[in-house]
Amino acid sequence: MMPIQLEKSTHMCRSCLRSSLKLHGVNYQDPSNQKCGRKKTVSFSSMPSEKKISSASDCISFMQAGCELKKVRPNSRIYNRFFTLDTDLQALRWEPSKKDLDKAKLDISAVKEIRLGKNTETFRNNGLADQISEDCAFSVIHGENYESLDLVANSADVANIWVSGLRYLVSRSKQPLDLMENSQNTPRFVWLKTVFEAADVDGNGIMLEDTSVELIKQLNPTLKESKIRLKFKEIQKSKEKLTTRVTKEEFCEAFSELCTRPEVYFLLVQISKNKEYLDANDLMLFLEAEQGVAHITEEMCLDIIRRYELSQEGRLKGFLAIDGFTQYLVSPECDIFDPEHRKVVQDMTQPLSHYYINASHNTYLIEDQFRGPADINGYVRALKMNCRSIELDVCDGPDNEPIICNRNSMTSPLAFRNVIEVINKLAFITSEYPLILCLGNHCSIKQQKVMVQHMKKIFGNKLYTEAPLPSEAYLPSPEKLKMKIIVKGKKLLSDQDLLEGEVTDEDEEAEISRRMSEDYVNEPRLIWLCRELSDLVSICKSVQYKDFVVSMKSQNYWEICSFSEAEASRIANEYPEDFVNYNKKFLSRIYPSAMRIDSSNLNPQDFWNCGCQIVAMNYQTPGPMMDLHTGWFLQNGGCGYVLRPSVMRDAVSYFSANTKGIVPGVSPQVLHVKIISGQNFPKPKGACAKGDVIDPYVCIEIHGIPADCAEQRTKTVQQNSDNPIFDESFEFQINLPELAMIRFVVLDDDYIGDEFIGQYTIPLECLQPGYRHIPLRSFVGDIMEHVTLFVHIAITNRSGGGKAQKRSLSVRIGKKGSEYTMLRNTSLKIIDDIFKLAVHPLREATDMRENMQNAIVSVKELCGLPPIASLKQCILTLSSRLINSDNTPSVTVYMKDAFPYLEPLGTMLDVQKKLMSAYDLMIQESRFLIETADTIHDKIVQCQKAGMEFHEELHNLGAKEGLKGRKLSKAIESFAWNITVLKGQGDLLKNAKNEAIENMKQIQLACLSCGLSKTGSGNVDAKSKRCLEAIEEKDTGDENGRL
């Protein structure tokens, strides 16, 4: 038999391999009839719907019927084989085979474990492995030497069925199996019978279909009545019944068919060790190892069970069945957004220029900026959305009362007084941090004075009018400016004792004149300003930008420049490093091009990447750009202020938004996203001439610095809006996590008029790991009830990033040599000699971190786990391998110098010796890092401090070396780069030591919970506690840079 060679396609599982079972909309289709290479990658047939997987017996029945799987060999060959499970459930068989029929089988009794994904040597070393979907692959590990039977299913659904069924059989290999009868006695069926009997008031064992429909809708409000009635008709037709009355068994069957989400069922079976319910210990392990929840207790798990389990029996006995588990997973407790970020978690005592500020453009508009009328609701909306910078274009109005209006249309003007009364009422309703009023003054002197009177009277002491201190170098902090209203505008010279004077008018509308007229002369227009209005402006004085050389020499820290979109884009492209350095001290405001007469939005990320704080958005225009803006400011408690990354704040640091790869001093992270399924997707709002059926797919967009921007999409699921199963995994490398956002977009692949179904945008820093439901938002940003996306999230190599880690993971990106962040030559000898002293410590620091990470990944690989697995999961798997035939441990954990080593208790198999060797190397590398990190860190910090002593002398040193112009600028830039590298690598080493210490605690606790401690000792707990305390002591340090 010739081997089957896989077609070279990165989307092999999408375009060529389909499920042989209908699982919520995935229909059977003969793979030989499939067309490869189409963008719409899933086809569907007209077959009747098949029974969905909702129990172990469903999995067993499917396996007994058999299906085609691909058998993967170590020699890079892949064969198609038809696999079945014997009717007596004792062996797995395949055909065709060169072996005798009796030998082309695998006894269930010989199976050690079943692994989902490409987690064996065969998969890792197979030349075609990259073309195999992670979600379709699984391995059956068997025999004393842990050999692997490596298989690829036609879809993730089928892989899950085989994995769940085989795990069920292995876990019950010593018990008699009577699956078909036992399926009627599961906790779920017992509960459903109780529900039915309570509603069956006559006690006849039957009820009206209307009553049954209403009962199921009460239990699951997301179901449509038409779908429930159709299910009852299917059941009655299959039994050739004429009556529409429903029996208890039919009610239970209908509910199970309608309310079982297969992907949740597979997850429940996996984490419950092949039971059909979770007990408190199962839930505790799930929360710790998978969801990243720290300090979980059994009582907390029992509380979750009491709140979410639907059956009284489950609440009393402490178990969570499939329906309660589903409700828990869709609850706010499993939301993807980290609840820590629902409050202010960032340092709010930095200068105002160190924060991104939520800003609105033409706040008074609710339509387009060309013809739209002014509307007070524009201010209400912006302030309720945590906006901290709003705009007021003020003109002369009738009866000596200033007005706010759209000067393009002059329709529906708003009284200035009424607007600031609304602002005063709502200014601090969602945030207590300062509100900036960007004042566009087009009034006469007379009405300017009226404006001042209104603001003083209405705002009172909220107005911030303190004169800036020349002795200071930076703006006050948001903390110091709490509950203050800051006026941004033009200001008269303070050394002139004038009651009024002329100032330049920075009218944004001049841009459109310049662009539309060839004769336009860009000369500043002068306007008159009264002293009273000038005095209301303190720390946000508007000035015109000339260039960075002039600004860095003569601009005061309390002065702010406004940049048009076009000008800011040019500067960001030509001088990205200078723009970042400028924004460390000064505020920049970016406003959309006046050519955007439809009030479309610019991409705020382009300017956030350069450190621009106030990027003004047209709030009235929804869409992808506004999604990014809204999502970004959800973090830090939605207070309207987000602290910029330290590399963009430190006085001496180097950062360019146009960096092509790794940011100096920042550890890249790998974001792992698995899109599992969707729930209750609506038809696109603008779709026309089409029924209610949709063909959804999901796009995952990464937004951040250009090196991080990426987009990938799932396959299309045909004609399924209720619970489409995607089951696809993606990876993204993130070089600057603190500036990255992820946007999930659900679209209809067969649309007419409109394809948008829903989206959700979230900063990477706010992601929670594990299995999460994403509440999708509509096009205008409203949360859609019951419309969710079910995903799994993991972030590996995570280090710091401004938030406490829930868990830290290590992953080896490749087996190539270490990549060192190189220091640059400044051409200043005395400084270069200092930086040379740091080269060796930097290499040592990188080697130590990578050696520890590689050792951890090696243990995970030998345990058959992916890199995203936690160390607790790793130790649980490892302990199951280190068990003798009589179920006693073959090793024991013992503490040596406060590190958890494993000691053999007798003769070990070769595979166990290999595991022990990898474990010992992991402990050895971790110990070496913990014990050596302080010394290396001190050397790096000393070089950084020695270099910084010459910071103020750079220009004098350059002059002595004959450097000037571009060469001097390059020397200063290289100096900043080197300081950034030293600081960043020192921080990474500090984080690595903390991670190693935490790993040792996790390993010891996991070993104890797995029963790997020595028996017969009455002081195990006391010893363990002392050892953990000893490990914690390694985390103390002094104030001189020690870790």
Side-chain angles (χ1 to χ4, degrees):
M1 175 67 66
M2 290 294 291
I4 305 295
Q5 295 292 336
L6 288 181
E7 183 183 354
K8 291 186 178 179
S9 167
T10 56
H11 301 292
M12 181 198 107
C13 190
R14 300 183 195 177
S15 53
C16 303
L17 304 179
R18 286 302 128 220
S19 173
S20 59
L21 181 79
K22 179 172 181 181
L23 285 173
H24 275 271
V26 183
N27 295 337
Y28 170 80
Q29 184 179 0
D30 183 353
S32 64
N33 294 331
Q34 298 249 350
K35 293 182 181 179
C36 300
R38 272 181 83 222
K39 184 180 177 183
K40 293 185 183 180
T41 54
V42 179
S43 298
F44 63 95
S45 71
S46 57
M47 289 184 63
S49 62
E50 298 185 37
K51 183 176 174 64
K52 287 183 289 193
I53 298 296
S54 61
S55 67
S57 60
D58 292 339
C59 294
I60 302 301
S61 298
F62 176 81
M63 292 160 64
Q64 287 175 326
C67 75
E68 188 177 87
L69 301 173
K70 285 179 167 52
K71 186 179 177 185
V72 183
R73 303 289 294 164
N75 59 6
S76 293
R77 295 192 172 191
I78 298 176
Y79 301 87
N80 278 338
R81 295 290 182 263
F82 194 84
F83 281 77
T84 56
L85 176 67
D86 278 355
T87 53
D88 61 2
L89 314 180
Q90 297 302 308
L92 194 62
R93 296 183 184 273
W94 58 90
E95 59 181 26
S97 173
K98 294 178 181 177
K99 300 178 182 178
D100 297 335
L101 286 177
D102 287 339
K103 293 185 178 179
K105 71 169 187 174
L106 177 60
D107 291 332
I108 298 298
S109 59
V111 177
K112 299 288 187 183
E113 63 181 88
I114 295 90
R115 299 178 187 171
L116 186 59
K118 300 182 290 188
N119 293 309
T120 63
E121 285 297 317
T122 298
F123 276 124
R124 281 192 287 270
N125 298 328
N126 190 293
L128 299 172
D130 288 344
Q131 300 170 34
I132 296 171
S133 166
E134 180 81 24
D135 306 301
C136 297
F138 66 100
S139 302
V140 183
I141 311 301
H142 58 93
E144 292 301 321
N145 291 320
Y146 283 74
E147 300 169 66
S148 65
L149 172 61
D150 299 288
L151 305 169
V152 182
N154 286 348
S155 75
D157 311 318
V158 174
N160 277 322
I161 292 169
W162 281 95
V163 169
S164 299
L166 287 170
R167 283 175 174 169
Y168 186 91
L169 291 172
V170 171
S171 68
R172 284 157 174 73
S173 58
K174 295 182 180 179
Q175 303 171 16
L177 284 165
D178 190 359
L179 291 167
M180 303 312 291
E181 292 184 12
N182 287 343
S183 66
Q184 300 300 316
N185 296 316
T186 62
R188 180 194 223 176
F189 275 90
V190 172
W191 165 66
L192 284 174
K193 288 173 185 175
T194 305
V195 171
F196 184 91
E197 289 163 2
D200 180 17
V201 290
D202 297 330
N204 297 327
I206 58 172
M207 66 172 63
L208 293 171
E209 183 181 296
D210 289 347
T211 308
S212 299
V213 169
E214 188 58 35
L215 188 54
I216 289 179
K217 271 195 70 64
Q218 288 175 15
L219 297 172
N220 189 340
T222 65
L223 286 175
K224 297 173 185 173
E225 182 178 327
S226 58
K227 188 173 181 180
I228 303 173
R229 291 191 183 279
L230 182 61
K231 177 55 63 179
F232 279 125
K233 283 183 173 58
E234 281 183 17
I235 293 171
Q236 289 156 4
K237 185 178 180 181
S238 68
K239 296 182 179 179
E240 298 182 349
K241 283 179 60 175
L242 298 177
T243 176
T244 58
R245 292 182 179 265
V246 177
T247 66
K248 186 187 304 181
E249 290 71 23
E250 290 166 348
F251 173 80
C252 294
E253 182 182 350
F255 182 89
S256 297
E257 283 280 302
L258 292 165
C259 300
T260 302
R261 286 173 48 187
E263 73 280 20
V264 176
Y265 171 76
F266 291 135
L267 176 61
L268 177 127
V269 171
Q270 175 189 330
I271 63 180
S272 68
K273 303 178 184 67
N274 312 301
K275 303 188 297 291
E276 298 208 349
Y277 61 88
L278 299 175
D279 58 29
N281 287 330
D282 296 327
L283 187 56
M284 190 186 307
L285 181 59
F286 172 68
L287 294 174
E288 283 181 341
E290 200 59 72
Q291 303 295 87
V293 181
H295 313 300
I296 196 76
T297 65
E298 184 178 1
E299 182 52 42
M300 291 164 69
C301 294
L302 288 171
D303 178 63
I304 290 172
I305 291 170
R306 285 191 288 267
R307 286 187 287 117
Y308 291 100
E309 173 54 29
L310 300 180
S311 71
Q312 186 176 2
E313 180 190 14
R315 292 193 293 271
L316 291 173
K317 293 183 177 179
F319 66 74
L320 197 61
I322 179 68
D323 301 294
F325 184 52
T326 304
Q327 288 212 3
Y328 172 65
L329 287 177
V330 299
S331 73
E333 292 186 53
C334 290
D335 192 278
I336 193 170
F337 193 90
D338 185 349
E340 282 296 305
H341 273 280
R342 298 197 186 281
K343 55 190 178 186
V344 175
V345 292
Q346 296 174 348
D347 177 9
M348 301 303 288
T349 62
Q350 303 263 340
L352 205 62
S353 59
H354 288 183
Y355 298 84
Y356 297 113
I357 302 172
N358 190 340
S360 160
H361 177 245
N362 287 351
T363 314
Y364 48 85
L365 293 181
I366 60 170
E367 296 177 21
D368 70 75
Q369 67 184 42
F370 195 66
R371 291 180 299 272
D375 193 307
I376 195 72
N377 288 313
Y379 292 97
V380 174
R381 175 185 53 202
L383 292 170
K384 286 187 175 180
M385 291 177 67
N386 310 314
C387 188
R388 296 290 86 194
S389 172
I390 58 177
E391 298 184 9
L392 300 91
D393 275 343
V394 193
C395 302
D396 280 356
D399 303 324
N400 199 34
E401 281 292 335
I403 58 171
I404 290 176
C405 64
N406 181 352
R407 289 186 298 141
N408 291 313
S409 68
M410 297 298 289
T411 58
S412 305
L414 304 173
F416 175 77
R417 179 191 179 98
N418 293 344
V419 170
I420 63 170
E421 282 177 345
V422 168
I423 292 172
N424 184 59
K425 181 179 178 182
L426 301 177
F428 303 107
I429 196 168
T430 60
S431 172
E432 59 186 352
Y433 292 101
L435 174 66
I436 300 172
L437 303 186
C438 297
L439 208 58
N441 171 27
H442 310 288
C443 289
S444 61
I445 292 291
K446 184 178 181 182
Q447 294 208 11
Q448 287 178 31
K449 293 181 179 181
V450 177
M451 286 167 56
V452 173
Q453 291 171 6
H454 288 331
M455 283 194 280
K456 283 185 174 181
K457 181 179 179 181
I458 293 169
F459 292 147
N461 60 10
K462 292 177 187 174
L463 272 176
Y464 185 84
T465 55
E466 290 182 25
L469 299 174
S471 59
E472 298 288 336
Y474 287 93
L475 289 164
S477 70
E479 185 67 30
K480 184 178 179 182
L481 296 168
K482 269 184 179 179
M483 308 299 287
K484 291 297 181 182
I485 293 174
I486 301 166
V487 177
K488 170 196 166 292
K490 304 300 292 187
K491 193 168 177 65
L492 297 173
L493 294 174
S494 56
D495 58 354
Q496 295 179 359
D497 190 17
L498 299 173
L499 295 178
E500 55 191 54
E502 286 187 318
V503 293
T504 57
D505 178 21
E506 297 165 22
D507 195 334
E508 294 171 15
E509 291 168 11
E511 182 190 358
I512 194 166
S513 300
R514 183 171 67 253
R515 295 206 172 198
M516 298 183 72
S517 172
E518 295 180 3
D519 313 335
Y520 180 77
V521 179
N522 188 15
E523 291 183 0
R525 190 163 63 93
L526 298 178
I527 60 169
W528 283 91
L529 178 68
C530 72
R531 172 63 63 183
E532 292 91 335
L533 185 56
S534 171
D535 288 345
L536 291 187
V537 177
S538 59
I539 57 171
C540 279
K541 175 187 175 183
S542 294
V543 296
Q544 282 191 319
Y545 167 81
K546 293 181 181 177
D547 58 51
F548 287 130
V549 174
V550 172
S551 294
M552 298 305 278
K553 280 184 179 178
S554 58
Q555 185 172 335
N556 296 306
Y557 71 84
W558 60 83
E559 294 174 336
I560 174 174
C561 291
S562 291
F563 300 83
S564 70
E565 178 186 347
E567 184 181 25
S569 295
R570 178 186 62 79
I571 295 170
N573 287 324
E574 294 178 6
Y575 311 105
E577 302 95 335
D578 293 335
F579 215 171
V580 170
N581 286 329
Y582 172 84
N583 286 321
K584 290 175 183 177
K585 186 174 182 179
F586 307 110
L587 286 175
S588 292
R589 173 178 166 270
I590 316 297
Y591 57 88
S593 167
M595 299 298 288
R596 295 182 181 272
I597 57 175
D598 59 349
S599 290
S600 58
N601 274 306
L602 49 74
N603 185 344
Q605 191 80 52
D606 293 341
F607 306 105
W608 292 336
N609 289 344
C610 293
C612 300
Q613 302 89 348
I614 303 174
V615 182
M617 303 293 287
N618 290 312
Y619 268 58
Q620 72 271 30
T621 309
M625 300 303 103
M626 197 63 202
D627 293 341
L628 293 180
H629 181 269
T630 304
W632 182 247
F633 286 103
L634 288 175
Q635 61 185 311
N636 201 30
C639 72
Y641 286 81
V642 173
L643 188 63
R644 297 210 312 265
S646 61
V647 74
M648 300 173 77
R649 304 191 316 261
D650 294 340
V652 181
S653 63
Y654 175 86
F655 175 75
S656 169
N658 293 342
T659 182
K660 301 300 181 187
I662 293 175
V663 177
V666 178
S667 179
Q669 297 177 356
V670 181
L671 172 65
H672 307 259
V673 180
K674 182 174 184 179
I675 304 294
I676 303 172
S677 64
Q679 291 74 47
N680 310 305
F681 290 165
K683 177 183 171 182
K685 285 269 186 188
C688 56
K690 186 185 175 188
D692 290 332
V693 177
I694 60 171
D695 299 343
Y697 67 98
V698 183
C699 281
I700 306 106
E701 303 169 358
I702 304 297
H703 298 266
I705 61 173
D708 291 343
C709 291
E711 179 179 333
Q712 296 197 54
R713 58 158 286 174
T714 66
K715 64 178 181 253
T716 298
V717 175
Q718 296 284 355
Q719 299 197 354
N720 192 328
S721 61
D722 297 329
N723 189 212
I725 305 290
F726 300 100
D727 257 329
E728 289 191 69
S729 299
F730 306 92
E731 284 187 6
F732 303 91
Q733 178 161 316
I734 312 294
N735 294 288
L736 187 55
E738 286 177 279
L739 269 188
M741 275 191 291
I742 179 168
R743 183 171 182 257
F744 301 90
V745 192
V746 183
L747 302 168
D748 183 2
D749 209 357
D750 186 24
Y751 67 95
I752 299 174
D754 183 17
E755 63 179 337
F756 181 85
I757 294 171
Q759 69 84 30
Y760 186 81
T761 307
I762 180 173
L764 188 78
E765 291 290 298
C766 298
L767 285 175
Q768 289 212 93
Y771 290 92
R772 303 289 171 183
H773 277 87
I774 298 173
L776 294 179
R777 293 177 178 264
S778 68
F779 185 72
V780 295
D782 297 328
I783 290 181
M784 298 183 285
E785 191 176 17
H786 304 309
V787 181
T788 56
L789 198 60
F790 187 39
V791 301
H792 182 270
I793 300 289
I795 300 176
T796 55
N797 265 4
R798 190 159 196 161
S799 52
K803 64 178 272 186
Q805 295 166 238
K806 289 190 170 55
R807 62 174 180 183
S808 189
L809 308 170
S810 296
V811 61
R812 179 168 54 203
I813 296 174
K815 294 186 178 180
K816 56 187 178 183
S818 299
E819 292 187 3
Y820 303 104
T821 306
M822 304 302 292
L823 295 175
R824 293 179 178 177
N825 193 306
T826 66
S827 299
L828 303 172
K829 186 177 183 305
I830 189 171
I831 293 177
D832 286 337
D833 288 344
I834 292 172
F835 287 141
K836 283 176 185 175
L837 298 175
V839 172
H840 185 63
L842 287 174
R843 292 176 73 92
E844 285 185 300
T846 301
D847 288 342
M848 283 195 301
R849 288 190 290 111
E850 290 196 0
N851 289 343
M852 182 183 76
Q853 291 168 2
N854 290 342
I856 292 172
V857 173
S858 292
V859 173
K860 291 177 181 179
E861 287 180 351
L862 285 172
C863 290
L865 295 172
I868 63 173
S870 70
L871 271 176
K872 180 147 191 176
Q873 291 170 313
C874 197
I875 297 301
L876 288 172
T877 304
L878 184 142
S879 67
S880 68
R881 303 278 188 84
L882 301 175
I883 298 293
N884 294 321
S885 55
D886 60 354
N887 280 332
T888 59
S890 61
V891 299
T892 183
V893 64
Y894 73 100
M895 301 304 295
K896 180 182 177 183
D897 301 328
F899 289 91
Y901 288 88
L902 292 179
E903 179 182 16
L905 295 177
T907 307
M908 303 187 73
L909 299 171
D910 287 344
V911 67
Q912 293 176 325
K913 290 178 182 177
K914 194 174 181 181
L915 260 178
M916 285 285 288
S917 176
Y919 177 88
D920 286 343
L921 181 62
M922 177 178 69
I923 299 300
Q924 177 185 324
E925 295 292 354
S926 300
R927 178 173 183 170
F928 181 71
L929 188 147
I930 290 170
E931 294 178 344
T932 313
D934 282 347
T935 304
I936 305 298
H937 183 264
D938 281 350
K939 292 178 181 178
I940 294 172
V941 169
Q942 285 167 9
C943 290
Q944 180 190 346
K945 287 181 177 178
M948 283 299 293
E949 289 179 3
F950 290 95
H951 175 230
E952 302 295 335
E953 301 296 321
L954 287 177
H955 284 85
N956 293 334
L957 291 171
K960 289 179 182 178
E961 298 282 350
L963 302 179
K964 55 186 177 180
R966 181 61 191 150
K967 287 186 178 180
L968 179 59
S969 298
K970 194 68 179 174
I972 295 171
E973 180 184 295
S974 296
F975 177 85
W977 168 280
N978 292 347
I979 294 295
T980 305
V981 168
L982 292 172
K983 181 181 182 301
Q985 293 297 318
D987 290 344
L988 291 177
L989 184 58
K990 178 171 64 176
N991 291 333
K993 180 185 174 183
N994 292 336
E995 178 182 343
I997 290 170
E998 185 59 34
N999 287 348
M1000 295 303 101
K1001 296 178 194 175
Q1002 276 192 41
I1003 289 170
Q1004 188 194 354
L1005 289 172
C1007 286
L1008 293 173
S1009 66
C1010 293
L1012 295 182
S1013 58
K1014 288 184 179 179
T1015 56
S1017 171
N1019 296 319
V1020 171
D1021 289 340
K1023 282 185 178 179
S1024 300
K1025 188 174 181 181
R1026 287 198 299 274
C1027 291
L1028 284 172
E1029 288 170 352
I1031 292 175
E1032 288 170 358
E1033 285 174 7
K1034 295 177 181 292
D1035 198 20
T1036 59
D1038 54 39
E1039 296 177 358
N1040 297 318
R1042 304 287 291 178
L1043 301 191

